């Protein structure tokens, strides 16, 4: 499994990671028993996948783009336990559900469900955040780019999807990445999952009314989920009496 880790040490395998889904996406996990990876072109930041989106020039002057860029799928997680931005960005309607797992459990869920050459196509990695100078250094290093994009182990191509700009470093992002042998028309790659095995706990949006939280908790339990379900206390504050000398 060590070969599937990029920018991650073996000692990190049991680190907790998190992802927030809105209500619709969350209950799709339980209805379909699937985790859905998407093509990087669907990621919101236009900088994503920039090495595979670049135009390249051969020795004969001919120009081309990387042919296998649409064979990759990924999903973004975070090492950050919680933040106000996390809830607001991923659940703008105050209907967020945060699931907790570990790096080990997430890569195992992918690896064990890929039948052909999972060692060459299944990876999990920590995102590197680059400032403008680092980005320019990389773009001006054709040998390094060639090493990544032509790597026959698959690690190089996967690592090319693990760059973001420095202003996003608060996200502390972890990405699971899979490459397929052939391009398909689908922008989605689905992994069968067992929620009780993969999700160690579920935390529900702190902005949700308590009565709605109870309803959602009961709904999750009805699916057979047996692990912890709680509401985030991010905005909760205990009011106490303060004695003032008057």
């Amino acid at each position: 499994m060590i070969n599937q880790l990029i920018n991650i040490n073996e000692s990190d395998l049991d680190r907790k990671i998190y992802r927030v889904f809105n209500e619709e996406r969350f209950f799709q996990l339980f209805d379909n028993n699937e985790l859905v990876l998407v093509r990087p072109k669907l990621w919101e930041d236009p900088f994503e996948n920039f090495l595979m989106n670049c135009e390249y020039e051969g020795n004969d002057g001919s120009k081309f783009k990387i042919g296998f860029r649409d064979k990759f799928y990924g999903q973004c997680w975070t090492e950050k336990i919680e933040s106000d931005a996390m809830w607001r960005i991923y659940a703008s309607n105050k209907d967020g559900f945060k699931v907790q797992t570990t790096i080990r459990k997430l890569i195992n869920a992918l690896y064990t469900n890929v039948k052909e050459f999972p060692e060459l196509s299944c990876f999990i990695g920590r995102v590197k955040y680059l400032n403008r100078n680092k980005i320019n250094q990389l773009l001006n290093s054709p040998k390094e780019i060639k090493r990544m994009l032509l790597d026959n182990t698959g690690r190089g191509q996967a690592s090319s999807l693990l760059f973001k700009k420095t202003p996003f470093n608060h996200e502390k992002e972890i990405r699971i990445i899979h490459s397929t042998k052939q391009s398909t028309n689908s922008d989605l790659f689905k992994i069968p999952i067992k929620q009780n095995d993969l999700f160690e706990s579920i935390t529900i949006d702190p902005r949700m009314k308590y009565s709605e939280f109870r309803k959602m908790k009961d709904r999750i339990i009805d699916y057979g989920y047996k692990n912890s379900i709680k509401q985030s206390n991010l905005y909760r504050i205990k009011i106490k009496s303060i004695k003032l000398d008057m």
Side-chain angles (χ1 to χ4, degrees):
M1 190 58 67
I2 189 66
N3 291 328
Q4 314 319 119
L5 309 179
I6 303 174
N7 308 328
I8 292 175
N9 298 320
E10 194 169 7
S11 59
D12 291 331
L13 276 169
D14 294 314
R15 286 184 66 88
K16 309 296 185 187
I17 53 176
Y18 311 87
R19 179 174 170 86
V20 172
F21 298 86
N22 64 27
E23 181 180 343
E24 179 183 6
R25 298 298 185 201
F26 175 77
F27 284 107
Q28 283 178 355
L29 292 172
F30 284 81
D31 287 331
N32 302 325
N33 299 309
E34 292 173 337
L35 199 63
V36 180
L37 280 60
V38 303
R39 281 182 170 148
K41 69 180 183 181
L42 299 181
W43 292 341
E44 291 184 356
D45 182 3
F47 180 75
E48 309 280 18
N49 200 15
F50 78 104
L51 286 178
M52 289 191 189
N53 284 331
C54 283
E55 186 175 71
Y56 296 92
E57 184 175 323
N59 293 332
D60 60 356
S62 61
K63 295 183 178 180
F64 61 94
K65 286 197 170 185
I66 299 300
F68 50 76
R69 59 182 178 164
D70 283 338
K71 296 180 182 179
F72 280 82
Y73 297 84
Q75 190 179 66
C76 306
W77 291 66
T78 180
E79 294 180 87
K80 198 161 193 172
I81 297 176
E82 189 169 46
S83 71
D84 176 76
M86 182 190 299
W87 293 112
R88 295 182 187 276
I89 292 170
Y90 297 107
S92 58
N93 292 326
K94 303 180 181 180
D95 61 346
F97 295 77
K98 181 182 70 177
V99 299
Q100 173 188 298
T101 187
T102 65
I103 292 173
R104 185 193 305 274
K105 288 181 178 180
L106 186 59
I107 185 60
N108 279 343
L110 173 62
Y111 194 93
T112 56
N113 282 291
V114 171
K115 304 305 179 187
E116 291 190 84
F117 309 110
E119 69 279 5
L120 301 177
S121 64
C122 301
F123 300 94
I124 192 165
R126 183 177 279 118
V127 168
K128 285 186 174 181
Y129 298 93
L130 307 180
N131 59 30
R132 187 182 299 273
N133 288 336
K134 291 290 185 181
I135 293 170
N136 287 334
Q137 286 177 21
L138 180 58
L139 291 174
N140 289 305
S141 303
K143 286 185 178 180
E144 177 63 14
I145 294 174
K146 183 177 179 181
R147 181 193 67 78
M148 283 192 288
L149 298 185
L150 300 183
D151 181 7
N152 60 14
T153 70
R155 285 176 58 86
Q157 293 90 339
S159 67
S160 76
L161 297 172
L162 296 173
F163 296 114
K164 291 194 80 167
K165 292 176 288 189
T166 302
F168 293 92
N169 61 9
H170 64 279
E171 296 175 344
K172 299 183 68 175
E173 205 167 317
I174 298 287
R175 289 180 175 169
I176 186 167
I177 296 168
H178 174 59
S179 63
T180 58
K181 289 183 64 176
Q182 296 178 336
S183 295
T184 69
N185 292 327
S186 177
D187 287 333
L188 310 177
F189 180 82
K190 300 175 181 179
I191 307 169
I193 60 168
K194 295 180 179 179
Q195 294 85 358
N196 282 303
D197 294 340
L198 181 59
F199 303 145
E200 296 181 339
S201 68
I202 295 169
T203 304
I204 298 178
D205 204 307
R207 301 163 297 172
M208 190 177 289
K209 291 181 179 178
Y210 184 74
S211 58
E212 187 68 12
F213 157 71
R214 290 298 314 177
K215 184 169 72 173
M216 292 299 166
K217 181 175 181 178
D218 290 342
R219 185 178 172 187
I220 296 168
I221 292 172
D222 285 344
Y223 277 99
Y225 186 73
K226 301 182 185 303
N227 299 330
S228 170
I229 306 169
K230 61 184 179 181
Q231 185 171 27
S232 167
N233 62 2
L234 179 64
Y235 306 122
R236 201 171 299 160
I237 184 170
K238 186 176 181 180
I239 304 297
K240 63 179 182 178
S241 297
I242 301 174
K243 185 176 181 180
L244 297 177
D245 291 329
M246 304 296 288

